[in-house]
Amino acid sequence: MIRLEAVTKVYPSPQGEVRVFEDLSLSLERGSQTVIMGASGTGKTTLLHILAGIDRPTSGRVLVFDEEIYGWSVERRAEFRNRKVGMIFQFFHLLKEFTAQENVALPLLIGGANKRQALARAEELLVRCGLKDRLSHRPSQLSGGEQQRVAIARALSASPELLLLDEPTGNLDWKTARQTVEFIKETIADLALTILLVTHSQEVASLFPRTLLLRNGALEALPGGGQEGQG
Ligand SMILES: Nc1ncnc2c1ncn2[C@@H]1O[C@H](COP(=O)(O)OP(=O)(O)O)[C@@H](O)[C@H]1O
Ligand SMILES: [Mg+2]
């Protein structure tokens, strides 16, 4: 469903340009689950931003169902991001002054949904995420694992097709991390979502069928998982 073709990314900087990757290609089939590993600074976050339509590559193409998203208008790309892409981050990025329910409703409100429906959908998602009794809690009143589940509910609120997770368990202990990943896998099992997850954890990667290593600006397939042959 989404494909990077010969993508190069160079950031200009006063100390000289930063060449993040060159001629990178990647194909994500609809409903596939892929992990990317790689040392800090290798460009994992940059890659997710390029896929989300947030950061334009220096050259190369990003195709969603064969359409080049960086050929679209800014508005069309913003709509793509809002409706089709869910993002989950290491530090949750929940808004402190809002309740769990309001945080989850926010993308729907931004997308133009009416408030009552957005809050009802948020409640439904939070119940599904096992947070029925936390609807009115603010982020500071929730544990790390609970905050990440709120962030997952928020990422799912607009029924995206692509879920991008940037070190989603990087801030959680292993037990909570494992529960969170299992929860993600259960929650998406019936949604036919395409997932790309960045992690430093070999244990987390082992829970997914396909792992790629980003190194020296290139992606290589890593053995392991192995239920899927695609590389
Ligand atoms: N907006 C930016 N401007 C300049 N350099 C950047 C910018 N964003 C990231 N970089 C550089 O690009 C490289 C890759 O960054 P990043 O994608 O955040 O790596 P990772 O997520 O793998 O740690 C790093 O060297 C970083 O310093
Ligand atoms: Mg990063």
Side-chain angles (χ1 to χ4, degrees):
M1 72 163 290
I2 188 156
R3 223 159 68 229
L4 296 182
E5 279 185 4
V7 165
T8 294
K9 182 68 187 180
V10 180
Y11 287 116
S13 98
Q15 298 90 327
E17 54 184 32
V18 179
R19 212 155 253 282
V20 187
F21 31 69
E22 208 156 334
D23 228 10
L24 196 82
S25 294
L26 171 67
S27 182
L28 301 175
E29 300 298 327
R30 189 168 197 179
S32 64
Q33 302 179 359
T34 305
V35 169
I36 291 191
M37 299 189 77
S40 187
T42 48
K44 303 178 300 296
T45 296
T46 302
L47 185 65
L48 295 187
H49 287 171
I50 289 174
L51 285 166
I54 297 170
D55 197 358
R56 180 184 288 276
T58 310
S59 65
R61 305 203 300 162
V62 182
L63 301 165
V64 174
F65 293 121
D66 292 324
E67 283 194 61
E68 159 63 288
I69 64 173
Y70 290 95
W72 294 344
S73 67
V74 172
E75 294 76 23
R76 172 121 193 249
R77 211 158 48 243
E79 192 183 314
F80 162 74
R81 193 159 72 227
N82 193 261
R83 297 193 179 213
K84 305 285 185 192
V85 185
M87 295 193 79
I88 295 169
F89 310 92
Q90 178 174 5
F91 296 108
F92 323 131
H93 293 292
L94 299 172
L95 296 177
K96 284 200 279 292
E97 58 279 28
F98 290 100
T99 65
Q101 189 177 13
E102 289 163 347
N103 266 284
V104 175
L106 217 56
L108 295 170
L109 295 170
I110 291 168
N114 89 44
K115 194 170 170 188
R116 207 160 48 86
Q117 284 171 348
L119 288 171
R121 165 95 175 134
E123 179 174 351
E124 176 200 319
L125 280 161
L126 286 166
V127 169
R128 193 150 116 200
C129 292
L131 294 170
K132 184 169 173 288
D133 301 323
R134 301 287 186 278
L135 297 181
S136 314
H137 283 54
R138 286 171 209 278
S140 64
Q141 301 168 316
L142 298 169
S143 73
E146 287 169 342
Q147 288 183 62
Q148 195 57 304
R149 275 186 282 153
V150 174
I152 293 165
R154 178 183 57 186
L156 295 174
S157 66
S159 306
E161 293 176 14
L162 175 65
L163 199 58
L164 301 173
L165 306 102
D166 198 352
E167 305 189 32
T169 60
N171 209 31
L172 304 175
D173 60 77
W174 165 238
K175 183 164 165 259
T176 312
R178 188 183 181 100
Q179 283 169 351
T180 302
V181 171
E182 271 159 9
F183 171 72
I184 290 168
K185 295 190 71 168
E186 273 165 34
T187 310
I188 52 140
D190 49 338
L191 297 178
L193 262 172
T194 306
I195 289 191
L196 187 63
L197 181 147
V198 166
T199 185
H200 284 291
S201 162
Q202 191 66 60
E203 287 100 331
V204 168
S206 73
L207 300 171
F208 290 89
R210 179 194 188 198
T211 301
L212 304 173
L213 179 66
L214 184 58
R215 183 161 60 184
N216 302 329
L219 280 171
E220 39 193 281
L222 278 184
Q227 296 144 354
E228 241 177 4
Q230 48 178 306

Coordinates of all heavy atoms in Angstrom, one line a residue, residues 35 37 169 174 177-178 181-182 197 199-208 211:
V35 N 9.1 -4.1 11.5 CA 9.9 -3.5 12.6 C 11.2 -2.9 11.9 O 11.8 -3.5 11.1 CB 10.3 -4.4 13.7 CG1 11.3 -3.8 14.6 CG2 9.1 -4.8 14.5
M37 N 14.9 -1.5 13.1 CA 15.9 -1.2 14.2 C 17.0 -0.4 13.6 O 17.1 -0.3 12.4 CB 16.4 -2.6 14.7 CG 15.3 -3.4 15.3 SD 15.9 -4.9 16.2 CE 16.5 -4.1 17.7
T169 N 7.7 1.7 23.1 CA 7.9 1.1 24.4 C 9.2 1.6 25.0 O 9.7 1.1 26.0 CB 7.9 -0.5 24.3 OG1 9.0 -0.8 23.4 CG2 6.6 -1.0 23.7
W174 N 10.1 -3.6 30.7 CA 9.9 -4.7 29.8 C 8.5 -5.4 29.9 O 7.9 -5.7 28.9 CB 11.0 -5.7 29.9 CG 10.7 -7.1 29.2 CD1 10.7 -8.3 29.7 CD2 10.3 -7.2 27.8 NE1 10.4 -9.2 28.8 CE2 10.1 -8.6 27.6 CE3 10.2 -6.4 26.7 CZ2 9.7 -9.2 26.4 CZ3 9.8 -6.9 25.5 CH2 9.6 -8.3 25.3
A177 N 6.1 -3.1 28.4 CA 6.4 -3.0 27.0 C 5.7 -4.2 26.3 O 5.1 -4.1 25.3 CB 7.9 -3.0 26.8
R178 N 6.0 -5.4 26.9 CA 5.4 -6.6 26.3 C 3.9 -6.5 26.3 O 3.3 -6.9 25.2 CB 5.9 -7.8 27.1 CG 5.6 -9.1 26.4 CD 6.0 -10.3 27.2 NE 5.6 -11.4 26.4 CZ 6.4 -12.1 25.6 NH1 7.7 -11.9 25.7 NH2 6.0 -13.1 24.9
V181 N 2.8 -4.1 23.5 CA 2.9 -4.7 22.2 C 1.9 -5.7 21.9 O 1.2 -5.8 20.9 CB 4.3 -5.3 21.9 CG1 4.4 -6.0 20.6 CG2 5.4 -4.2 21.9
E182 N 1.6 -6.6 22.9 CA 0.6 -7.6 22.7 C -0.8 -6.9 22.6 O -1.6 -7.3 21.7 CB 0.6 -8.6 23.9 CG 1.5 -9.7 23.6 CD 2.0 -10.5 24.9 OE1 1.5 -10.2 26.0 OE2 2.9 -11.3 24.7
L197 N 7.0 -0.2 12.9 CA 7.3 0.1 14.3 C 8.9 0.2 14.5 O 9.6 -0.7 14.0 CB 6.8 -1.0 15.2 CG 7.0 -1.0 16.7 CD1 5.8 -1.6 17.4 CD2 8.3 -1.7 17.2
T199 N 12.0 0.3 17.0 CA 12.4 -0.1 18.4 C 13.9 -0.3 18.5 O 14.6 -0.6 17.5 CB 11.6 -1.3 18.8 OG1 11.9 -1.5 20.2 CG2 12.0 -2.6 18.0
H200 N 14.4 -0.2 19.7 CA 15.8 -0.6 20.0 C 15.8 -2.0 20.6 O 16.9 -2.5 20.9 CB 16.4 0.4 21.0 CG 16.8 1.7 20.4 ND1 17.8 1.8 19.5 CD2 16.3 2.9 20.5 CE1 18.0 3.0 19.1 NE2 17.0 3.7 19.7
S201 N 14.6 -2.5 20.9 CA 14.5 -3.7 21.7 C 14.4 -5.0 20.8 O 13.4 -5.1 20.0 CB 13.3 -3.6 22.6 OG 12.9 -4.9 23.1
Q202 N 15.4 -5.9 20.9 CA 15.3 -7.1 20.2 C 14.1 -7.9 20.6 O 13.5 -8.6 19.8 CB 16.6 -7.9 20.5 CG 16.9 -9.1 19.7 CD 17.1 -8.8 18.2 OE1 18.1 -8.0 17.9 NE2 16.3 -9.2 17.3
E203 N 13.8 -7.8 21.9 CA 12.6 -8.6 22.4 C 11.3 -8.1 21.7 O 10.5 -8.9 21.3 CB 12.4 -8.4 23.9 CG 13.5 -9.2 24.7 CD 14.6 -8.3 25.2 OE1 14.9 -7.2 24.5 OE2 15.2 -8.5 26.3
V204 N 11.2 -6.8 21.6 CA 10.0 -6.2 21.0 C 10.0 -6.7 19.5 O 9.0 -7.1 19.0 CB 9.9 -4.7 21.1 CG1 8.9 -4.1 20.2 CG2 9.7 -4.3 22.6
A205 N 11.1 -6.5 18.8 CA 11.2 -6.9 17.4 C 10.8 -8.4 17.2 O 10.1 -8.7 16.2 CB 12.6 -6.7 16.9
S206 N 11.2 -9.2 18.2 CA 10.9 -10.7 18.0 C 9.4 -11.0 18.0 O 9.0 -12.1 17.6 CB 11.6 -11.5 19.1 OG 11.0 -11.3 20.3
L207 N 8.6 -10.0 18.4 CA 7.2 -10.3 18.5 C 6.5 -10.0 17.1 O 5.3 -10.1 16.9 CB 6.5 -9.4 19.5 CG 7.0 -9.6 21.0 CD1 6.5 -8.6 21.9 CD2 6.7 -11.0 21.4
F208 N 7.3 -9.5 16.1 CA 6.8 -9.2 14.8 C 7.4 -10.0 13.7 O 8.6 -10.5 13.9 CB 7.0 -7.7 14.5 CG 6.2 -6.8 15.4 CD1 6.6 -6.4 16.6 CD2 4.9 -6.4 15.0 CE1 5.8 -5.6 17.4 CE2 4.1 -5.6 15.8 CZ 4.6 -5.2 17.0
T211 N 11.7 -7.9 10.4 CA 12.6 -6.8 11.0 C 13.6 -6.3 9.9 O 14.3 -7.2 9.3 CB 13.3 -7.3 12.2 OG1 12.3 -7.7 13.2 CG2 14.1 -6.2 12.9

